[in-house]
Amino acid sequence: MAILPVSANRTSTPLMNQRLMFQLNADQLALQRQYDQLSSGRSVLKISDNPAAANRALGLNRTIDRGNQLVRNANSTIGYYDSADSALSQIDNALITARATAVQGVETVNSDDEREALALTIRETINSVFTAGNAMFRDQQLLGGILNGGNAYSYAENEIVYSGRDAVGKTMLGGGDLSEINATASDSLGTNGVFLTGEPLGAALDYDTRLVDMRGGAGVAPGAIQLSGGDSTVDVDLSNASTIGDVVDVLSKVELEGRPLSVTISNDSIQIKYADDLPGTLAIQDTKGSTLASDLAISNPGGLKAPPLIGDRLTPRLTAETLIEDLAFGAGVDLSGGITIKQGSKNFSIDLSDAETVGDVLIAINRSGADVHAELNQTEGSIQLRALRSGVDYSVGENGSNAARALGIRSATEITTLDELGRGRGVVLNAQSEDLVITRPDGVQLSLDLEGAETIDDVIKLIRNHPNNQDTARVLVGLNTVGNGIELQAPPGANPMSIRQPQLSNAGTRLGLIPEGEIEAFGETVGSVNQIAGVDYMPRDAGGALDTLLRLETAIRDNDVAEIERLQVRLDEDLDRASRTRGKIGVWTRNLQDMKASAETNVIQLTEQLSNEVDADLATVISDLSQRQLSLEASMRIIGQTSQLTVLNYL
């Protein structure tokens, strides 16, 4: 803490005064800085005080702020998890109660009043699950989608409609990864489940097909290839190609030894040959780093294979932009008749005559008014339908044409197996006699033994090929042209056509030709035919816990033991689903608590490092402050003494 020396005799008075004032100002500034350190507790108050320490402190501050934010995120998310766990616990308890009630409904003989009491118990469990499904945390749905601000479930008469979205929120909780903060209704309650997955539609390759969509979505990587006619080679850069049409355009302009190439596209392949159709060497291989020729299956190093070179199995994945005319591997499909969706007692006719792309079909279905959500199944290359209304049956059928079948979404077809009928309970057959007897209007009987029949098509063939059904009065059989079900037609006669299921068989009921509780059905004359139009033999459940509970309530009131037993299995699945989701939330909570503890520990350690960089040592500051005060006092005394000097002081 040096003090400027007292001026020498030969120093001018102005310079002496200037040096003394500089000393005084320096002492005052240093003293003020130490006062600031003492009051703030910091040794580094601005970057210039200690640039190296300040730079380290800035980095530490950023890391500490990030750690504190992670802790805040964790605290908020833990609250979300706790609320979700509470809602799932309520669902678990309700399903356990429902399971016990279902057992009581099956294993004991109950009076009407007892069945009503059991049904009311199921109604309470429905309300409990309904309430839990609409539970919220900070104005956001716990199970109905993070973006859904209102109720995800609502009552519509005795049915429940889901209007939520399976949106998942994510937050930064550590490790650089985003963590999910909510479960979905699909995960926990099975709501918004797929009730119908269609058949693959077989999109065809065309000029505008994107390379990334080819090979079933595996894609084709753009690159460079080398072509040779035997004597010379040509390098072709296709790294900027985005569609198969771009590849065709470039390769079609290539000439090998004066011979132009011909490149064509078929439904799932590309063909390359010489335009003159004459033989010759046509070698194609990838350049270094490229896989284009291999991806297109046209690689032919050394020209060992004679042209034409055909790269096949390039079928593109199904997208919303896929043209209707490109479906069925290029054959196209006719959607002019439209389709029918049956939802409970309601029918929705959907006009698809203006649809040009698969996306147009999805939009038409989603805007039909039916509580159905249509989407693409990218893996299977098909359309799949989700049910949004619990407590009703769904089916998708024709509207006078074959549009539903062409789209692969007709829910009841000839390939439906007999084991699938009756909601998976199958068909009961007579061991010693016929299972169905059809009596034509002219009195001729067709006795049918379904032993060995496995599908609806097998049943249709048994009727169609019956020895007594080969004349002009024969019974015509096929699927209904509107909706679903089997239709029988015959020329009118003295009596209406009838179909009967003898003894213990329930084949007629399971096939939808005989109403529940009856053993026989009769035809009606419509125009020039007498017909029996069966109902849908393969209705689909909406699925999910609420759908199960709504059906269970009805089954208990109707004393439908077989249905109650079927729903017991579904209740076990629903409970297992909800419990797994709750377990997942528990794992998330535990992991989050560990990450939070780690973040808090890290913040403490970083704060300690920051303190070492910028915090002042109070004992040192106080000591320096005392010395600086003495220095200031000394400077002021010297100034006072020198200001009183006269010429006598130099004598």
Side-chain angles (χ1 to χ4, degrees):
M1 197 175 296
I3 302 177
L4 286 175
V6 179
S7 300
N9 291 340
R10 293 184 181 273
T11 302
S12 65
T13 300
L15 179 58
M16 178 187 66
N17 291 335
Q18 182 181 1
R19 295 179 68 183
L20 289 172
M21 292 304 297
F22 177 81
Q23 177 66 40
L24 181 63
N25 289 334
D27 289 339
Q28 290 176 329
L29 289 173
L31 191 61
Q32 182 60 50
R33 182 174 181 275
Q34 288 170 331
Y35 278 134
D36 292 341
Q37 290 182 356
L38 192 61
S39 61
S40 65
R42 296 293 181 90
S43 62
V44 179
L45 300 175
K46 54 183 181 295
I47 294 178
S48 60
D49 291 343
N50 189 336
N55 183 58
R56 292 192 294 270
L58 290 174
L60 289 169
N61 272 320
R62 286 193 297 269
T63 308
I64 290 171
D65 288 343
R66 180 178 179 276
N68 286 329
Q69 184 60 55
L70 292 178
V71 172
R72 288 192 292 271
N73 291 350
N75 288 332
S76 176
T77 306
I78 285 175
Y80 210 106
Y81 288 168
D82 288 344
S83 298
D85 180 75
S86 177
L88 291 169
S89 174
Q90 183 174 335
I91 293 171
D92 283 353
N93 293 335
L95 293 177
I96 291 171
T97 301
R99 183 67 170 83
T101 305
V103 170
Q104 186 176 353
V106 170
E107 295 184 350
T108 60
V109 177
N110 300 295
S111 65
D112 292 343
D113 290 341
E114 289 172 333
R115 286 200 303 273
E116 181 63 23
L118 294 176
L120 290 176
T121 300
I122 297 300
R123 174 53 57 176
E124 291 178 2
T125 65
I126 293 173
N127 292 335
S128 181
V129 174
F130 179 88
T131 302
N134 282 330
M136 304 186 73
F137 179 78
R138 294 182 179 175
D139 298 328
Q140 292 178 324
Q141 281 285 331
L142 289 171
L143 305 177
I146 196 72
L147 299 179
N148 198 38
N151 286 341
Y153 295 93
S154 58
Y155 276 107
E157 298 177 353
N158 195 40
E159 300 155 2
I160 296 175
V161 179
Y162 177 71
S163 58
R165 294 292 181 267
D166 282 350
V168 176
K170 294 186 177 182
T171 186
M172 181 72 74
L173 297 177
D177 296 327
L178 291 174
S179 300
E180 296 181 0
I181 65 174
N182 68 296
T184 64
S186 296
D187 292 338
S188 55
L189 292 174
T191 308
N192 195 30
V194 176
F195 74 88
L196 177 62
T197 298
E199 298 295 325
L201 295 179
L205 199 65
D206 64 16
Y207 184 85
D208 295 319
T209 300
R210 300 186 307 170
L211 296 180
V212 295
D213 293 330
M214 293 171 60
R215 299 198 302 157
V220 171
I225 60 176
Q226 188 179 81
L227 296 90
S228 174
D231 294 333
S232 60
T233 61
V234 175
D235 289 334
V236 180
D237 184 7
L238 292 166
S239 58
N240 293 323
S242 61
T243 67
I244 190 63
D246 295 337
V247 176
V248 171
D249 289 344
V250 173
L251 294 181
S252 297
K253 297 176 182 178
V254 174
E255 291 188 7
L256 297 176
E257 301 172 8
R259 301 175 66 186
L261 296 179
S262 171
V263 186
T264 56
I265 300 173
S266 63
N267 291 336
D268 73 337
S269 63
I270 181 173
Q271 176 180 275
I272 304 176
K273 63 180 182 177
Y274 287 109
D276 55 17
D277 282 330
L278 297 176
T281 300
L282 180 54
I284 301 177
Q285 63 183 15
D286 287 303
T287 61
K288 186 177 181 180
S290 173
T291 60
L292 177 63
S294 299
D295 290 346
L296 291 175
I298 57 173
S299 180
N300 188 30
L304 300 178
K305 186 186 298 182
L309 302 181
I310 300 176
D312 58 2
R313 299 182 181 181
L314 303 179
T315 305
R317 68 187 178 95
L318 188 72
T319 68
E321 291 75 31
T322 301
L323 297 175
I324 299 299
E325 63 187 26
D326 288 338
L327 298 180
F329 300 102
V333 296
D334 180 13
L335 304 182
S336 58
I339 64 175
T340 299
I341 294 180
K342 184 175 176 61
Q343 174 186 296
S345 60
K346 298 180 180 179
N347 288 286
F348 299 87
S349 297
I350 303 173
D351 182 10
L352 300 176
S353 58
D354 295 330
E356 297 180 355
T357 66
V358 174
D360 294 337
V361 173
L362 300 180
I363 292 172
I365 295 175
N366 291 334
R367 293 180 177 177
S368 65
D371 295 309
V372 168
H373 179 69
E375 61 189 16
L376 292 181
N377 184 324
Q378 298 284 4
T379 303
E380 300 294 333
S382 63
I383 296 173
Q384 65 182 21
L385 304 178
R386 295 182 179 273
L388 303 179
R389 181 179 289 252
S390 299
V392 298
D393 291 338
Y394 282 93
S395 67
V396 181
E398 304 293 357
N399 195 27
S401 184
N402 292 307
R405 185 189 298 273
L407 291 172
I409 56 174
R410 184 165 190 172
S411 58
T413 65
E414 295 92 343
I415 65 173
T416 302
T417 65
L418 300 188
D419 290 339
E420 295 177 283
L421 303 184
R423 303 184 189 276
R425 294 193 291 269
V427 178
V428 177
L429 302 179
N430 287 322
Q432 304 297 329
S433 64
E434 65 272 4
D435 300 296
L436 284 175
V437 177
I438 299 175
T439 303
R440 303 190 322 190
D442 60 0
V444 175
Q445 287 190 342
L446 312 177
S447 297
L448 303 171
D449 183 357
L450 302 186
E451 184 70 32
E454 296 181 354
T455 66
I456 296 296
D457 188 54
D458 293 338
V459 176
I460 290 175
K461 288 178 179 178
L462 285 174
I463 299 173
R464 188 176 292 159
N465 300 328
H466 195 281
N468 296 340
N469 196 38
Q470 304 302 313
D471 54 11
T472 56
R474 65 183 178 273
V475 174
L476 302 178
V477 57
L479 299 185
N480 290 339
T481 57
V482 176
N484 282 319
I486 300 173
E487 185 176 68
L488 305 177
Q489 291 185 349
N495 297 302
M497 178 171 48
S498 66
I499 182 169
R500 177 171 55 87
Q501 51 189 17
Q503 298 181 17
L504 301 177
S505 175
N506 63 358
T509 300
R510 290 286 192 257
L511 292 170
L513 293 168
I514 299 176
E516 288 283 351
E518 304 291 333
I519 61 171
E520 190 172 14
F522 298 91
E524 296 180 353
T525 300
V526 179
S528 60
V529 297
N530 189 262
Q531 68 177 24
I532 296 177
V535 299
D536 189 359
Y537 49 79
M538 190 62 183
R540 307 296 177 94
D541 291 357
L546 286 168
D547 184 67
T548 302
L549 293 173
L550 288 168
R551 292 177 185 276
L552 181 59
E553 181 185 19
T554 301
I556 288 176
R557 283 199 168 95
D558 295 342
N559 199 27
D560 188 343
V561 175
E563 177 70 354
I564 296 174
E565 290 176 342
R566 181 182 79 91
L567 294 174
Q568 282 181 332
V569 177
R570 279 188 45 178
L571 273 174
D572 291 338
E573 296 171 354
D574 295 331
L575 179 58
D576 183 60
R577 181 193 303 112
S579 297
R580 284 199 312 270
T581 304
R582 189 180 180 190
K584 181 171 66 174
I585 294 292
V587 171
W588 289 353
T589 302
R590 179 59 185 173
N591 291 340
L592 181 55
Q593 289 171 339
D594 291 342
M595 286 189 289
K596 176 188 173 185
S598 177
E600 289 174 334
T601 301
N602 193 38
V603 167
I604 292 173
Q605 293 172 345
L606 292 173
T607 303
E608 182 180 356
Q609 295 179 34
L610 179 63
S611 175
N612 293 336
E613 294 290 348
V614 301
D615 285 354
D617 184 347
L618 295 183
T620 302
V621 172
I622 293 172
S623 176
D624 290 345
L625 179 62
S626 300
Q627 295 181 41
R628 183 59 66 180
Q629 287 174 332
L630 293 174
S631 174
L632 178 62
E633 183 179 350
S635 296
M636 293 178 68
R637 286 181 179 178
I638 292 173
I639 291 172
Q641 291 174 1
T642 55
S643 64
Q644 296 175 4
L645 291 177
T646 66
V647 69
L648 298 177
N649 294 94
Y650 296 94
L651 294 179

